[in-house]
Amino acid sequence: MSLTSFTLHGRDGAARTGVISTPRGEIRTPAFMPVGTAATVKAMLPESVRATGADILLGNTYHLMLRPGAERVARLGGLHKFMNWERPILTDSGGFQVMSLSGLRKLTEEGVTFKSHIDGSKHMLSPESSMEIQRLLGSDIVMCFDECPALPADRQRIEQSMRLSMRWAQRSRDAFGDRPGHMLFGIQQGGLEEDLRGESAEALTSIGFDGYAVGGLAVGEGQEAMFQVLDFAPGQLPEDKPRYLMGVGKPDDIVGAVKRGIDMMDCVLPSRSGRTGQAWTRHGMVNIKNARHQDDPRPLDEHCTCPACRSYSRAYLHHVYRAGEMISGMLLTWHNLHYYQELMQGMRDAIAGGRFAAFEAEFHAQRAEGDIPPL
Ligand SMILES: [Zn+2]
């Protein structure tokens, strides 16, 4: 019997809700994964991240291989023990961040050589080394090593890149081997082109993976183009496996993606905005640095049960942001992660209850109202 599984409990249109079971715990889907880039979700203790409702975190292979190093993490007992998070962890393959962060790089059939953005040291990532690094980290959900061009790119470039990624997907599968309790996800590429996405889905399905990501989106194409791809891409992937949209997104991106059949997402947005004075609420985005909050004794969101809203005023949140106090990023990150997880729970309940359309209409109506009027 397999140690991991994916069970769908409900559907509403293309939207699905279910559970991914792993030896480290269950992941309720649709799931939002907070990003713990350097073995920490910035400004949050792991138990606080869990308290927001997160079932799984994302770790970045590129960052962890450079600092503190995958071998060191393995010697210290693996990433879960190292960062004090015992629940599931998904790691990306490193490919995307090599492209976006590192300096000089060279792409060949074998893999990518690049210079570290930290100290300029030279490194190589290939399907085989990415599988080895993710094994050393101890990740529960491992991503195939792939290559992804920034959009817009011409069709020929997207086609060549997709086919290279499919050859790398086979090498990733071979190198991953048989690891009970751990899952390997393939990554669909093909830009905005339906036929290339279809070819990619077929190639991945014939190799066979535990889950499938829709890759190569949220790279500058805009929400409308992304939704156009999501109108067909999830349906090209196997029905009985989780579908993961990488690097998405804003709350309205997430609702639109779930509506189109996506089960998992990750994004730095809730934690990053929390450190720059931006709070996501049911009414949209609130800029806490705005002077209108400086005498406002009301919470950010009177219906929110997070510590920032339960115990602090807008005036306090404004003050600590302006004063550059660390608690500012801590409270706003907590609030944002709490809001995101509440949104996911709301969608899971709505899909299970067959009322996703009503949920979506209410979500947009509340945002259209905007923030509460100033005092
Ligand atoms: Zn809150």
Side-chain angles (χ1 to χ4, degrees):
M1 201 192 107
S2 177
L3 296 173
T4 61
S5 64
F6 178 52
T7 313
L8 281 168
H9 294 317
R11 290 164 205 270
D12 189 355
R16 306 121 58 90
T17 182
V19 171
I20 302 168
S21 294
T22 80
R24 287 192 179 269
E26 294 194 331
I27 303 155
R28 296 163 292 171
T29 67
F32 178 78
M33 302 184 279
V35 177
T37 300
T40 168
V41 176
K42 292 189 197 331
M44 294 286 285
L45 288 170
E47 48 268 46
S48 312
V49 177
R50 175 60 185 160
T52 66
D55 293 332
I56 176 169
L57 296 186
L58 180 140
N60 289 123
T61 287
Y62 172 83
H63 289 275
L64 295 168
M65 71 182 279
L66 296 179
R67 185 170 60 192
E71 290 81 6
R72 176 169 291 128
V73 172
R75 281 196 304 273
L76 293 166
L79 186 55
H80 299 82
K81 180 163 187 279
F82 186 57
M83 70 181 289
N84 186 30
W85 173 266
E86 289 303 331
R87 287 177 179 274
I89 294 175
L90 179 148
T91 46
D92 62 10
S93 71
F96 181 75
Q97 284 174 325
V98 166
M99 297 302 159
S100 57
L101 290 178
S102 71
L104 284 175
R105 57 188 172 258
K106 192 177 164 218
L107 177 69
T108 65
E109 183 69 31
E110 176 57 22
V112 189
T113 46
F114 62 95
K115 279 190 175 170
S116 160
H117 74 289
I118 299 168
D119 60 8
S121 57
K122 206 174 161 192
H123 300 267
M124 161 83 179
L125 264 177
S126 65
E128 292 76 20
S129 66
S130 176
M131 293 307 105
E132 173 63 5
I133 291 165
Q134 294 181 77
R135 187 189 67 76
L136 287 166
L137 294 173
S139 143
D140 304 280
I141 302 181
V142 170
M143 298 304 297
C144 274
F145 188 67
D146 70 337
E147 202 258 330
C148 160
L151 297 179
D154 65 51
R155 184 183 159 92
Q156 196 190 5
R157 167 83 178 92
I158 289 171
E159 183 170 343
Q160 285 171 350
S161 165
M162 181 272 285
R163 289 184 181 151
L164 174 65
S165 287
M166 296 307 102
R167 294 191 295 277
W168 285 1
Q170 180 68 60
R171 282 168 56 191
S172 295
R173 175 84 259 178
D174 294 343
F176 180 82
D178 184 25
R179 298 182 56 210
H182 299 264
M183 302 169 94
L184 178 64
F185 280 22
I187 306 177
Q188 183 199 41
Q189 292 291 353
L192 308 179
E193 316 282 331
E194 184 165 1
D195 61 328
L196 296 182
R197 290 259 166 203
E199 180 186 328
S200 176
E202 269 180 43
L204 294 174
T205 309
S206 72
I207 298 169
F209 290 96
D210 304 303
Y212 296 84
V214 179
L217 292 179
V219 289
E221 75 281 6
Q223 189 190 70
E224 197 186 335
M226 180 174 83
F227 283 172
Q228 280 170 9
V229 173
L230 293 180
D231 283 337
F232 58 77
Q236 296 172 329
L237 298 168
E239 180 74 20
D240 60 346
K241 302 288 182 191
R243 302 161 178 163
Y244 164 30
L245 179 60
M246 305 176 76
V248 170
K250 293 195 174 83
D252 54 328
D253 296 329
I254 288 178
V255 172
V258 167
K259 176 188 183 177
R260 291 167 173 82
I262 293 296
D263 306 304
M264 306 165 71
M265 278 144 292
D266 77 281
C267 193
V268 293
L269 193 68
S271 42
R272 182 173 290 164
S273 348
R275 302 193 304 280
T276 56
Q278 297 177 326
W280 294 93
T281 76
R282 292 172 299 125
H283 297 293
M285 210 265 285
V286 174
N287 239 320
I288 205 65
K289 52 197 153 193
N290 192 312
R292 64 162 277 195
H293 304 297
Q294 64 188 350
D295 288 304
D296 196 331
R298 297 173 300 179
L300 206 46
D301 180 345
E302 61 175 345
H303 297 294
C304 179
T305 57
C306 89
C309 295
R310 229 176 31 226
S311 311
Y312 301 92
S313 63
R314 289 178 175 227
Y316 181 78
L317 295 172
H318 172 83
H319 158 68
V320 289
Y321 178 81
R322 283 292 177 99
E325 291 292 343
M326 277 191 248
I327 197 172
S328 170
M330 294 161 63
L331 289 173
L332 290 185
T333 300
W334 195 319
H335 166 81
N336 284 342
L337 290 176
H338 180 101
Y339 170 70
Y340 266 63
Q341 295 298 346
E342 207 165 56
L343 180 62
M344 303 316 290
Q345 185 62 53
M347 287 193 286
R348 291 193 290 263
D349 292 343
I351 295 164
R355 47 183 175 77
F356 189 80
F359 178 92
E360 188 193 14
E362 174 71 9
F363 168 81
H364 289 296
Q366 286 189 337
R367 289 165 65 89
E369 283 172 14
D371 193 14
I372 51 174
L375 285 176

